[in-house]
Amino acid sequence: MTEITGIMLLIGSLLLVSILAAVVSNRLGAPLLLTFLVVGMLAGEEGLLGIEFDNPQLAFFIGSLALVIILFDGGMRTHKERFRVALWPAISLATVGVALTCSITAAAVVWLFNLPWATALLIGAILSSTDAAAVFSIFQSKNLRIKQRVAATLEIESGTNDPMAVILTMTMTTVIVSSQAFSYTAMALDVLQQLVLGYAVGWLGGRLFVIMARRITVQFTFFPLLAAASAVVIFAVTSGIGGSGFLAVYLMGYLIGGARLPQLMHILQVQDGLAWLSQIMMFLILGLLVTPSHLLEYLPLSLSVAMLMIFIARPLAVVISLLPFSFPWREQMFVSWVGLRGAVPIILALYPWLSGVEDQQLFFDIAFVVVLVSLVLQGWTLVPMARWLGLEVPAEAAPDRRMPLDSVGSKDPMELWAYLVSDRSPACDHYWDELRWSVPVEFVGVIRDGEWLLPVQEPQFEEGDIALVVAKVQHKDEISRVLAAGGKARELSSSDFFGDFSLRGDLTLADVAGFYPLGDLPDGIAGKTLNDYFAEKFHRRVVVGDQLRLGQVQLTVRELRDDGEIASVGVKLLT
């Protein structure tokens, strides 16, 4: 009993220290996942606590389970419109890009260190996948929003490139262990099998869960647990029949997230906590598993591989993979730099270890050092890089607090929203009756100095008030534009980015030239609408924040309709 109590105390203390350390590291700009990894190392056998942990089987199990939860959460948060602008570029990066990263890294390792091709290819395969969770956790901690085309590409790529990396790792491990000849045909068939089965089972699992959620009657508290359990079952079933379990849970999450279930908001709130717990546990356990002194043996090789991947393999793979899609060079440069390595390579490095490959420690140590270097070098510079390349866009207006009203029986999901009124909010210094709404919304009152002012008191909105409203979830954007107007003060304001004036997307350039100094328009474009002109320049993958300059005017896409057409364009005069 004393031993069990001690283990519970140890686990709780590690989680507590990790979270508190994350608060400090966030203020220093350090990647949160790096903090969890370092805490695990400090608690390990050569750290402050001297905990001896040498159980790769348990680490592999915890890591795989954590990845299931993380990918499932990522799938539910992937919106349909992101596929419009980024599906095929992301798929190209997740397949061709992974294969190129693996091959280029392997070729460089063979040339520089004279390692066998099979070993070099296994190193490349282990390190070939990226980690969007690490990337977006940094963006969230810095309140940074980047252009949707880039964010969606990175998000979808990381959700779909893990299966490719897993397949390559398993194939190369089998080749080394069995000493059989490497066959591109066999690997291609294996890739096709895993992708087809992963897609089929994931789609089926997502549809079944949506049907079940709409028909069964249980307390809403159980739905997040039901969702997580279903994801684990789908992963196990898919992997058991030879498919990609990671692809299946990502697709299942995407279908659930797009189904507009009344329980969805509650599921996402709990799932967010589970995803963070999974990341913390995964990095802690991997930090405990590593022996820092062993890293020195392969340190020159590990650092060389890290530099090769960051500065050569990833950029080349991105340029070649995105060549058919005409991505702007700034976005290609950022996607290249954001090839951030997370926990996946370290977990994949356990597979050769568990399979009995010779020099098993080599793969684990290299993966660990590469992840450390990636988190430090790339993770610390992501935000400055995004701003330097001009990829930041103003944050969307959104409620400061959201409370789902799951049990009210409405056909459409409804929520209670709280908005902190700032001097930038259009509602500031106005009464509720003076505001004009294009959608149904109900005013609940104002919280001012801790007191609830009811609607019958007709309070005037003041800076610092918290406005409470109830509305349908699909009307969040329209209501937020009035009450939040970008929410809290941001480093990048809407007026600074878009300009003070807006134009409709269906206006022609000739119409715009009648009011603004566009200069001499090239032949054939004067009759084009703003929407058509942007669509031509950005190959019909237009997103909010895309900019074009004509004469002394900068045009910036400000708002898109549901069908992807431009609703409004910001106008800014350049001096």
Side-chain angles (χ1 to χ4, degrees), residues 156-398:
I156 299 173
E157 178 205 2
S158 65
T160 54
N161 68 5
D162 290 340
M164 186 69 175
V166 171
I167 293 167
L168 290 175
T169 300
M170 293 175 64
T171 301
M172 293 312 306
T173 301
T174 303
V175 168
I176 294 174
V177 171
S178 62
S179 300
Q180 65 184 30
F182 178 74
S183 171
Y184 285 102
T185 303
M187 187 183 72
L189 291 174
D190 190 20
V191 170
L192 183 62
Q193 173 187 311
Q194 295 228 23
L195 293 179
V196 170
L197 289 175
Y199 180 88
V201 180
W203 183 88
L204 181 62
R207 296 301 303 166
L208 288 175
F209 183 86
V210 170
I211 294 172
M212 179 174 60
R214 285 173 174 164
R215 294 189 177 182
I216 66 174
T217 304
V218 295
Q219 292 183 9
F220 274 74
T221 309
F222 290 110
F223 274 101
L225 302 178
L226 183 65
S230 300
V232 174
V233 169
I234 290 297
F235 171 80
V237 169
T238 309
S239 300
I241 62 175
S244 172
F246 294 121
L247 177 60
V249 295
Y250 180 80
L251 179 60
M252 178 184 177
Y254 169 72
L255 292 174
I256 294 173
R260 287 193 171 185
L261 294 172
Q263 308 95 337
L264 180 61
M265 183 55 63
H266 195 59
I267 292 174
L268 287 174
Q269 287 178 334
V270 177
Q271 190 67 31
D272 189 44
L274 289 177
W276 272 110
L277 178 62
S278 299
Q279 292 189 66
I280 294 173
M281 290 298 297
M282 182 167 55
F283 275 83
L284 279 177
I285 205 75
L286 293 175
L288 284 171
L289 188 62
V290 72
T291 304
S293 61
H294 292 173
L295 300 178
L296 299 176
E297 182 179 355
Y298 303 108
L299 190 59
L301 174 59
S302 302
L303 292 176
S304 300
V305 170
M307 295 300 107
L308 283 169
M309 298 202 73
I310 293 172
F311 294 105
I312 298 176
R314 172 68 177 181
L316 284 175
V318 168
V319 170
I320 295 172
S321 300
L322 296 181
L323 197 59
F325 306 104
S326 302
F327 259 54
W329 71 267
R330 292 176 182 271
E331 297 180 13
Q332 289 191 51
M333 186 175 178
F334 188 72
V335 171
S336 300
W337 188 248
V338 184
L340 201 67
R341 268 60 197 175
V344 175
I346 304 178
I347 294 171
L348 290 181
L350 294 174
Y351 193 78
W353 193 342
L354 297 174
S355 300
V357 175
E358 291 185 11
D359 296 325
Q360 53 192 233
Q361 196 70 33
L362 165 72
F363 304 102
F364 184 80
D365 290 349
I366 290 177
F368 199 92
V369 171
V370 170
V371 169
L372 276 178
V373 172
S374 179
L375 287 174
V376 171
L377 180 59
Q378 295 172 289
W380 238 304
T381 57
L382 283 183
V383 173
M385 180 70 75
R387 287 174 174 155
W388 178 64
L389 292 172
L391 301 180
E392 182 185 14
V393 295
E396 291 181 334

Side-chain angles (χ1 to χ4, degrees), residues 425-447:
S425 304
C428 191
D429 299 326
H430 290 277
Y431 294 94
W432 177 261
D433 291 339
E434 295 175 346
L435 304 178
R436 295 294 177 262
W437 304 101
S438 59
V439 295
V441 58
E442 185 62 40
F443 180 44
V444 178
V446 165
I447 304 296

